[in-house]
Amino acid sequence: MSTPKSKNKKIKKPDNDTVAELISENGSMRKLKIAIAASEVAPFAKTGGLGEVCGSLPKALAKLGHEVRVFLPKYVSIDDAKYNLHYVTEIGEIPVRLGPVTRSVRILKGFLPDSKVEIYFLDCPHYYYRRSIYTMDTDEDERFVLFCKGVVETFQRLGWAPDVVHCNDWQTGLIPVYIKDNYSWDHMFDKTACLYSIHNMAYQGRFSKDTIYKAEMRENLYRPGGAMEYNNTFSFMKCGIQYSEIISTVSETYAKEMLTYEYGNGMNDVLWPRRGDLIGVLNGIDDEWNPKTDKHLPYHFSSKDLSNKEKNKQHLLKQTTIAYDPSKPLIGIVSRMVTQKGFDLVEKAIAELMLLDAHWVILGSGEDRFENMFRLIANALPYKCWSYIGFSNELAHLIEAGADIFLMPSNFEPCGLNQMYSLFYGTVPIVRKTGGLADTVHDWHDRKGQGLEDGNGFSFNDANPYAMFSTVQRALEVYKDKPTWKKIQQNGMNVDYSWKKSAEKYVELYERAMAKRVL
């Protein structure tokens, strides 16, 4: 049971003894106990990049030799039998208090697929047996207050004190507060540090002041400009930022953009004092995305031999209304059809884009106006454009492998994964220079202007339809120069975007957080 406790907090600078505790006798960093808490973990629950990260990063960390445990709400959509989940009888029922109400939580345990990484599901049907992962229900705050408090209560009942808790997005923003304040009476957490990852600044977990009572937080923390108050609302995200030793996000450029008025969604003022603790780490690519081994492809290929890529293009087009023509480039899109992803730019330039000497294959769903646009275009120009409104994992892989060009003109993109898939599959990306897109796609002509030949795609700065259209034109001109195009393809395919590389960077951040533990 939590007991709120007032405490003056100071940042302790790491000294030699603190650093020495992190180093084993052989001089390497010691094995860490890492807890990863998230509202999404693939394949159990996923709506986007958050689920991908939290389904892949734990396995990469475990391969580096660390002890990793994952914590996720048990949504009704998660099939116990399919994933061989079992009730943890030694823990039993956990009573979790939310102000005047107490809810009962059961813990189910399983493993991330193809790994020995343990995952614990917090089962509370009252909150998690809903129509979707996220809701507009009036108790949305309670759903994740319970999750945050339940994770800490689970640590206690497991008798397991993590060296670091890796919290993700607003849904886990209260965990650092509970560890540092409400549960500070439990000395098992005295050395537990927190890293808070922001995957998208637009979602900040903002609710009425009443949330502070449901969460059993100290009321004096909700004063104007205080640790939990943001524009007269209670903000989960602000709590995570204020109470974590280290803050991360999913690309270096997005870490800089988050500090600006344009991209900070108002939270930039909260982040600015913590800018020295804000670090960007690119997401990695899951093992299923590999053109050499991809089980969804009829033909495998590599940067050394791209001949089978053309065969995948032929196979893809057989499933569409478009006839294969080796002289025409195929432009692919796989995306949520929303304004964030730049579909407003595509909408304004659609007539001009369809006049270009190229074929188009589109997969995705989202806002009605964009879905209808692609339905109409596909019906009017079936020989030139084909669209699938919905989602197909197999088709997504086939488009990444079979297309020549991948269009991703996002208005903002914290990290982005499809441009990295495209690079790895020799499908040259065209992107807007923002967030993770700017960090991963390097414009061929920009790099040539610097005397370099390591460009791997094409990009544009301004979020307007003309900038996008002219960049597509530029890419189509280069496509005609086959030796140059192959060079651009190979540049992209030879970059390491593996999770191992990203996991190593996260371990560095965990160690930094542990050395800075708030006491």
Side-chain angles (χ1 to χ4, degrees):
M1 185 178 295
S2 62
T3 304
K5 183 178 179 180
S6 179
K7 201 171 187 179
N8 293 323
K9 299 176 178 64
K10 295 181 180 178
I11 302 292
K12 180 182 178 183
K13 294 182 179 179
D15 53 27
N16 291 336
D17 291 338
T18 305
V19 174
E21 288 181 4
L22 305 178
I23 303 177
S24 63
E25 292 180 0
N26 63 9
S28 61
M29 300 312 289
R30 68 179 175 87
K31 175 181 178 180
L32 303 182
K33 292 187 291 184
I34 304 164
I36 295 180
S39 58
E40 299 180 30
V41 177
F44 308 101
K46 185 186 79 167
T47 66
L50 171 62
E52 295 279 3
V53 172
C54 296
S56 301
L57 176 59
K59 293 190 282 190
L61 291 168
K63 288 179 181 178
L64 294 177
H66 300 287
E67 179 185 348
V68 188
R69 300 186 186 185
V70 182
F71 298 81
L72 174 72
K74 170 61 171 67
Y75 303 110
V76 69
S77 57
I78 298 173
D79 188 332
D80 299 27
K82 178 180 178 180
Y83 296 111
N84 194 27
L85 308 185
H86 65 273
Y87 174 50
V88 184
T89 55
E90 57 267 33
I91 291 180
E93 304 276 332
I94 302 177
V96 178
R97 197 174 66 203
L98 286 78
V101 177
T102 299
R103 301 292 182 191
S104 182
V105 175
R106 298 191 322 150
I107 305 299
L108 281 71
K109 179 181 173 183
F111 295 90
L112 289 180
D114 304 317
S115 80
K116 295 182 179 179
V117 176
E118 297 177 352
I119 179 166
Y120 293 85
F121 297 85
L122 279 70
D123 186 22
C124 182
H126 178 81
Y127 287 127
Y128 303 132
Y129 286 23
R130 305 280 174 97
R131 63 195 177 280
S132 59
I133 293 175
Y134 309 118
T135 76
M136 296 295 288
D137 298 342
T138 56
D139 63 352
E140 187 75 349
D141 58 340
E142 295 177 28
R143 298 177 73 226
F144 293 103
V145 168
L146 178 111
F147 179 58
C148 292
K149 185 178 282 191
V151 167
V152 179
E153 295 270 358
T154 304
F155 292 159
Q156 290 177 317
R157 283 159 177 77
L158 289 171
W160 186 71
D163 293 309
V164 63
V165 183
H166 186 160
C167 305
N168 294 273
D169 273 348
W170 75 259
Q171 295 86 358
T172 61
L174 302 190
I175 293 176
V177 185
Y178 284 129
I179 286 175
K180 311 294 174 52
D181 198 359
N182 293 51
Y183 290 81
S184 62
W185 56 268
D186 191 338
H187 295 297
M188 72 178 284
F189 300 125
D190 281 352
K191 294 185 178 181
T192 297
C194 294
L195 181 144
Y196 183 61
S197 285
I198 299 172
H199 298 260
N200 193 326
M201 282 289 285
Y203 304 104
Q204 300 174 356
R206 293 170 59 182
F207 301 92
S208 71
K209 181 182 178 180
D210 290 343
T211 301
I212 200 167
Y213 304 116
K214 300 173 186 177
E216 298 189 313
M217 301 295 184
R218 288 187 285 120
E219 190 172 5
N220 67 326
L221 295 173
Y222 188 80
R223 65 186 183 279
M228 300 174 181
E229 188 274 343
Y230 179 71
N231 283 358
N232 202 32
T233 63
F234 177 94
S235 171
F236 281 64
M237 177 178 282
K238 187 174 182 181
C239 291
I241 292 170
Q242 298 285 58
Y243 276 80
S244 297
E245 282 75 20
I246 297 293
I247 305 151
S248 75
T249 191
V250 290
S251 70
E252 292 181 11
T253 296
Y254 193 56
K256 297 173 184 175
E257 291 177 340
M258 286 163 59
L259 297 171
T260 67
Y261 176 81
E262 181 180 1
Y263 293 97
N265 295 91
M267 200 62 70
N268 48 294
D269 291 336
V270 177
L271 276 172
W272 184 257
R274 299 295 313 276
R275 61 190 180 279
D277 298 321
L278 173 62
I279 299 97
V281 179
L282 274 172
N283 293 337
I285 296 178
D286 193 85
D287 291 342
E288 73 165 305
W289 290 93
N290 188 332
K292 298 177 184 178
T293 58
D294 192 327
K295 65 181 180 181
H296 299 292
L297 302 185
Y299 307 101
H300 294 135
F301 59 97
S302 69
S303 62
K304 295 179 180 179
D305 183 1
L306 286 161
S307 58
N308 276 351
K309 181 171 174 62
E310 195 70 13
K311 294 180 181 178
N312 283 309
K313 179 178 177 179
Q314 295 177 52
H315 179 80
L316 168 62
L317 290 177
K318 285 179 182 178
Q319 302 180 43
T320 74
T321 55
I322 302 170
Y324 171 69
D325 183 341
S327 68
K328 292 190 186 298
L330 178 63
I331 301 175
I333 296 176
V334 179
S335 178
R336 285 186 295 117
M337 296 178 178
V338 295
T339 301
Q340 179 208 326
K341 299 294 184 179
F343 280 85
D344 57 327
L345 307 184
V346 175
E347 181 183 50
K348 292 172 182 174
I350 192 66
E352 291 79 6
L353 289 171
M354 289 302 131
L355 290 174
L356 294 172
D357 191 24
H359 291 153
W360 296 77
V361 174
I362 296 105
L363 166 65
S365 62
E367 297 176 33
D368 289 344
R369 66 191 247 224
F370 300 134
E371 290 186 2
N372 292 334
M373 173 181 70
F374 285 116
R375 286 192 183 100
L376 288 171
I377 292 295
N379 287 332
L381 305 170
Y383 56 88
K384 188 179 192 69
C385 178
W386 181 84
S387 66
Y388 181 102
I389 305 303
F391 185 72
S392 163
N393 191 42
E394 181 178 357
L395 184 56
H397 282 252
L398 195 53
I399 291 174
E400 288 288 9
D404 300 295
I405 296 169
F406 191 90
L407 180 60
M408 194 171 178
S410 303
N411 284 299
F412 74 94
E413 193 69 59
C415 177
L417 289 171
N418 278 100
Q419 86 280 8
M420 289 194 278
Y421 301 155
S422 299
L423 289 168
F424 203 26
Y425 280 63
T427 301
V428 177
I430 299 174
V431 304
R432 194 172 94 75
K433 198 175 290 185
T434 182
L437 303 181
D439 290 340
T440 53
V441 179
H442 310 300
D443 190 279
W444 172 255
H445 291 108
D446 284 352
R447 305 296 276 187
K448 285 285 284 186
Q450 300 172 44
L452 303 172
E453 289 202 352
D454 60 353
N456 57 15
F458 300 87
S459 61
F460 57 98
N461 284 302
D462 298 332
N464 65 59
Y466 176 76
M468 179 194 67
F469 175 75
S470 61
T471 305
V472 175
Q473 280 186 310
R474 189 157 52 89
L476 294 181
E477 281 300 311
V478 177
Y479 177 80
K480 298 173 185 177
D481 180 351
K482 295 305 179 184
T484 297
W485 192 260
K486 184 176 181 180
K487 171 67 174 172
I488 297 171
Q489 289 178 296
Q490 291 175 327
N491 286 347
M493 297 181 78
N494 290 330
V495 176
D496 180 11
Y497 290 119
S498 69
W499 265 113
K500 180 179 182 294
K501 185 177 179 181
S502 299
E504 289 171 345
K505 291 184 179 179
Y506 273 113
V507 171
E508 292 176 10
L509 296 189
Y510 298 152
E511 292 160 353
R512 181 171 165 183
M514 291 161 62
K516 283 193 64 176
R517 168 67 167 101
V518 176
L519 296 175

